[in-house]
Structures are given as structure tokens and as C-alpha cells.
Amino acid sequence: MTNRTVVVSNRVAPIDEGRTAAGGLAVAVLAALRRSGGIWFGWSGEVVASPGETVHLTERGRLATATVDLGEDDYEAYYNGFANATLWPLFHYRVDLVDFDRANYAGYRRVNAHFARKLAGLLGPDDLIWVHDYHLIPLGEELRRLGIGNRIGFFLHTPLPPRELLATLPMHRELMRCLAFFDLVGVQTERDRVRLCGYLAGEADALLEERDGGASVRAFGREFRVEAHPIGIDAAHVERSAAGTANIRDVERLRVSLADRRLIVGVDRLDYSKGLPQRFDAFAHLLRARPGNRNRVSLMQIAPPTRGGVAEYSEIRRTLDTLAGHVNGEFADVDWVPIRYLNRSFSRRTLFGFLRLARVGLVTPLRDGMNLVAMEYLASQPPDDPGALVLSRFAGAAQYLPDALIVNPYDVEGVAEAIQAALAMPLGERRERWERSMRVLRSNSVEAWYERFLARLAGG
Ligand code: ADQ
């Protein structure tokens, strides 16, 4: 890759982030930017009384990060408001939770325009610009308004709902029109791509031509491409890392505490899209319907709270506290608690160690763009005795991992039966399913995803 790359996302990982601390995506972006040279631009994570015009620049060789602070009003309207109380629920099909506040939309546009002004001053004429996620949909249009003619790509990490749901947003046309200012729009799955094309054809009279594994679109007086580019993980790194976790103190403590009981594990941000109440219900159903599992299996659910500034997140937290309490109250024994519910983060290595100990990985979001935890669970397994993955059909990952036990997360009894099947699955079958899944993961690493998207963006 010869062009310099400029990555733009809401949050920017610190440039000195250690390999173990950073998420897979952050590691991949930093490594790739080091190779090609480039900038990672976004919000600093700081909310300040008067943000001013400062851009915080950190440079290490050919790699730089550039961040800007947000004022309190902008933070509320842009981040807590339009991004996380409007677009996040809407894109996860939760129209019932969507906040339709026009003032928040104005704040969202204001912050995108501000980001564009600050970013424009850092750009060279040949830079490839790659914008990430739902926080920054208008950024392409704002950059074009400032005369930026570079190639600009956009990738949506969340799902995209069907046209009828998108159209509930009062400013849906204005928002979706922003996509036309990018040269390439990437989504996680073929289904998301078809939904986006369906919206563009139905609401914007787009002319669509299916070719080269995607669609060339003419809409809103512009031409652009829409393609599916499923994200992956660095499977080799997770495999190596998970294999060396037995001596980590928390992993050892977990193993000892289980004695000869089987572990079922869930790891999610505490978010209503992740289907956690249904998951707890399914586990309770398993204990009720199959009493042989009592005192024989434990569910450990790790769910660090996120987005505390959005009301729905305090609500889902309360719901889960109550539910976990009920299930534990009903089934716990003097030496056994059925659900270990932990509202905290762990280092990635420790997480991989937990995943490796689990006979069943339980990944049952009601809706998810991809879901990297499902992949990390598989890559963490010991090859000679791998566990089984129970995976929601509504996670993008289900479209790439048909060898998981695919479930409907709303069907509590069905999920309980799938957990039972996973617990009972013979070693031979577990190995076959795992090996086929790992072939998929190894052939689509996060690095390959990154390079492929940029090559498509550069290629015209
Ligand atoms: P998320 O909704 O955050 O991502 P996911 O894909 O599972 O969901 O990624 C979460 C990442 O955070 C994983 O790498 C996981 O290991 C890590 N993580 C989760 N809980 C943790 C904890 N307690 N401690 C430490 N690390 C933890 C969004 C979309 C997804 C899409 C990704 C990437 O919602 O659908 O797959 O982006 O595109």
C-alpha cells in the first residue's frame, strides 16, 4: 500500500497501547497505520467546559493520533443523544427505544462538521480516508463541503435495519444521503448490504448495478459502491495468547472454583442488544427442565457497564441485577451459585483464559453487526478438547459460522435445548465443528479485512 491512510472513528486507541491491553481492532489499525504511515483521528474521550480549537497530536515515526475534545452540550447531543439514543437502537431494530429528538440531530451534525474542519487541516492530497461507524455518517459530506476530493470510505460496524424501520427516523433521507458522499460504503454482511440497497432503491430511486461482489449505486446525484466486508479477528494471536493463560491468577481461581463442574461463558458489553435477560431466562429454563444440571454447570456472565449517560443502560442493568438475583435465589446451593454475574472488565488475556475454560460459549444477541466474542471464544479453545459455541442467528457472525449451534435468542426453551446439546456434544463432533469454524476465522483475519477494504477503496 503506497497511500498514507487516515482512519477516523469516534474513539482513538492510545498510540502506545500494549498488544494485550488493546482490542483486536485497535491493534490492527495501529499496526497497519505504522506500516502505511498515517493518522488516526477522533474524539479524545474528554468532555470539557470550553473545548476550543485544539487538536491533540501525538506522533511516533510515521504514525500519529489526532484528537479533539467535546463540550458538554455536544457530548450530550452527539454521543449520548443522536449516536447512542437514536442511531444505536434504530440500527439494532429497537424502534421502541429510539429517541427522536431534532436538537440531538443538530448536535450530531455540528460535531461532524467540527471534526471535518479539524481533520481537513491534517490531510494530504493522496491520503486514503477511512471513516468508521454510525457516529460519523455525515463526515464524508462535511469533508466534501470543504473541498476535500480524496477517496473516502465508510464502514458500518452495526447492522442495518430494513427500509421500513429506517424510515421511522424523521431525517432518514437526509442522513442516508450522507452515504453518497463516500466512494465506498462497507457493511458487515451480505444481508446488511441487501438491506442498504433496498433502502436506496425504495427511498432514493437509486440505480443499482450488481457487479464485482457488490453494488455500484447512483443516487442523490452521486455514484458510490456498497460492499459487504465482514470483520474478523487475529485468530493466531488469540490462539497463542489463550494457550498461555493457565497461570493467570484469575483464570486459575476460576478453574479451582469450578471443581469438576462445567462452565458456560458469556462476555458482552452491558447493552440491551446483547439479549442478556433472555439468556438468563434460558439458563434458568435449563436448570428447571433438566435438573441434572443443577450443581453441575455454572454460567459466568461478564458484562461491564457502558454508556452510563443513556437512560436505557441503567434500566437494563437494573433488570439484570434483579433477574440474576432471582435465578440464584431459586437454584443456589450451599456450595454452588448458578450465575456468576460480573459487571467489570478484564485484560484480554484473562478473558481468553476464561473463554478457554468454558465448555459452552453463549453468544445470543438479539441483533449484532458481527460479534467478535463468538470468534474469540472459538480461537481460545484447546484444539484437543474444544467447547461448543451457541450463537444467535441475529449476529452477523452466524452467517460465517454455520458450524456453531445456531439459535433464536427470543426462543428461551430453544436456547436451553441448544445449551443442553452443547454440553452433551461428543468430543469428535466438537472437534469437527471447531476445525471447520477455525478455517473460516483463519482465512479472514482482521488484518486481511483492513487491507481488503483499503485496497477496494484505493482501487477506484
Ligand atoms: P461490540 O458491540 O462492542 O462491537 P463485539 O463484536 O463482541 O461487540 O466486540 C467486543 C470486544 O470487546 C471483543 O473483542 C471483546 O473481547 C471485548 N470485550 C467485551 N467485554 C469485555 C470485558 N469485560 N473486558 C475486556 N474486553 C471485553 C461492535 C459491534 C459488533 C462488531 C464489532 C466490530 O456491535 O457487532 O462485531 O463492533 O465490528
Side-chain angles (χ1 to χ4, degrees):
M1 203 189 310
T2 50
N3 302 73
R4 200 172 73 139
T5 311
V6 175
V7 171
V8 191
S9 59
N10 176 59
R11 293 302 304 274
V12 175
I15 208 164
D16 294 323
E17 195 102 282
R19 276 195 74 86
T20 49
L25 180 57
V27 172
V29 170
L30 287 172
L33 286 178
R34 253 180 220 116
R35 281 198 302 276
S36 67
I39 306 175
W40 192 350
F41 180 93
W43 173 37
S44 63
E46 298 295 325
V47 180
V48 296
S50 31
E53 295 295 308
T54 315
V55 177
H56 310 287
L57 260 181
T58 311
E59 287 178 86
R60 293 278 184 288
R62 305 167 69 205
L63 161 66
T65 60
T67 61
V68 292
D69 302 334
L70 284 179
E72 274 152 29
D73 292 352
D74 282 350
Y75 169 71
E76 276 307 318
Y78 154 80
Y79 184 76
N80 284 334
F82 200 74
N84 284 326
T86 304
L87 293 182
W88 178 269
L90 179 66
F91 286 2
H92 289 83
Y93 295 58
R94 292 300 299 272
V95 179
D96 57 317
L97 299 180
V98 172
D99 180 355
F100 293 103
D101 184 333
R102 281 172 204 253
N104 285 346
Y105 180 62
Y108 175 78
R109 296 301 305 232
R110 196 166 59 235
V111 168
N112 270 272
H114 176 64
F115 279 10
R117 277 195 305 277
K118 293 290 131 194
L119 178 60
L122 304 171
L123 294 173
D126 297 325
D127 289 349
L128 283 177
I129 305 168
W130 186 3
V131 179
H132 288 256
D133 232 357
Y134 59 99
H135 313 82
L136 298 172
I137 294 172
L139 196 75
E141 180 179 6
E142 297 296 349
L143 286 170
R144 300 286 182 224
R145 198 169 279 165
L146 298 171
I148 302 298
N150 300 42
R151 292 193 69 80
I152 314 180
F154 175 77
F155 186 79
L156 184 65
H157 289 258
T158 69
L160 199 81
R163 174 185 165 192
E164 288 75 10
L165 292 191
L166 278 176
T168 60
L169 188 71
M171 59 294 285
H172 67 92
R173 242 185 95 84
E174 201 182 319
L175 181 79
M176 298 300 279
R177 181 174 168 273
C178 296
L179 292 176
F181 292 84
F182 296 106
D183 296 292
L184 171 62
V185 174
V187 288
Q188 298 272 26
T189 68
E190 192 55 25
R191 279 189 207 165
D192 295 313
R193 190 185 76 77
V194 167
R195 285 186 198 112
L196 177 52
C197 289
Y199 174 91
L200 292 166
E203 299 287 333
D205 295 326
L207 290 175
L208 299 166
E209 195 191 327
E210 299 278 333
R211 61 179 156 88
D212 304 332
S216 295
V217 182
R218 283 221 248 168
F220 303 109
R222 301 187 60 93
E223 283 186 42
F224 58 106
R225 293 270 307 164
V226 176
E227 297 177 359
H229 286 283
I231 196 170
I233 61 166
D234 183 347
H237 169 72
V238 178
E239 285 180 84
R240 269 197 314 277
S241 180
T245 52
N247 294 329
I248 295 177
R249 203 173 120 72
D250 283 339
V251 176
E252 171 72 7
R253 285 171 65 211
L254 173 61
R255 193 182 57 74
V256 169
S257 74
L258 287 168
D260 57 352
R261 296 184 192 92
R262 297 254 173 87
L263 177 66
I264 303 170
V265 76
V267 177
D268 307 78
R269 281 184 307 99
L270 214 177
D271 193 295
Y272 49 78
S273 66
K274 302 293 183 182
L276 297 173
Q278 290 83 351
R279 192 179 303 175
F280 285 5
D281 279 344
F283 183 62
H285 187 81
L286 176 77
L287 298 177
R288 234 170 260 132
R290 306 272 192 160
N293 288 306
R294 295 183 197 172
N295 213 339
R296 304 296 315 140
V297 296
S298 287
L299 168 63
M300 182 164 82
Q301 176 63 53
I302 295 173
T306 50
R307 304 176 190 168
V310 182
E312 282 73 22
Y313 287 78
S314 339
E315 240 170 84
I316 180 78
R317 194 169 177 183
R318 272 197 301 279
T319 305
L320 285 167
D321 286 347
T322 310
L323 203 52
H326 278 316
V327 178
N328 284 341
E330 183 177 347
F331 296 104
D333 209 335
V334 289
D335 60 348
W336 173 66
V337 178
I339 301 182
R340 304 177 185 197
Y341 178 44
L342 286 75
N343 290 134
R344 49 171 289 204
S345 276
F346 289 90
S347 75
R348 289 177 59 75
R349 275 190 71 227
T350 305
L351 269 190
F352 299 156
F354 294 162
L355 295 175
R356 189 177 180 88
L357 285 182
R359 169 54 65 86
V360 181
L362 199 47
V363 181
T364 54
L366 304 180
R367 199 60 66 172
D368 217 329
M370 179 57 67
N371 197 294
L372 300 180
V373 173
M375 300 179 179
E376 290 164 354
Y377 172 76
L378 290 166
S380 296
Q381 294 307 296
D384 54 341
D385 187 19
L389 174 65
V390 175
L391 178 59
S392 164
R393 58 173 293 171
F394 302 122
Q399 286 173 55
Y400 304 101
L401 295 170
D403 280 295
L405 295 173
I406 305 293
V407 295
N408 169 1
Y410 294 93
D411 175 13
V412 164
E413 291 167 51
V415 173
E417 282 311 304
I419 299 172
Q420 183 64 43
L423 287 167
M425 193 184 287
L427 176 62
E429 184 180 348
R430 276 187 276 127
R431 279 169 77 160
E432 279 167 24
R433 286 175 183 258
W434 180 79
E435 272 156 21
R436 283 196 294 265
S437 299
M438 287 306 295
R439 275 203 283 281
V440 175
L441 298 189
R442 290 182 188 126
S443 67
N444 184 35
S445 68
V446 64
E447 284 81 4
W449 167 80
Y450 184 97
E451 301 293 350
R452 197 176 57 232
F453 186 94
L454 283 178
R456 298 291 294 174
L457 178 61

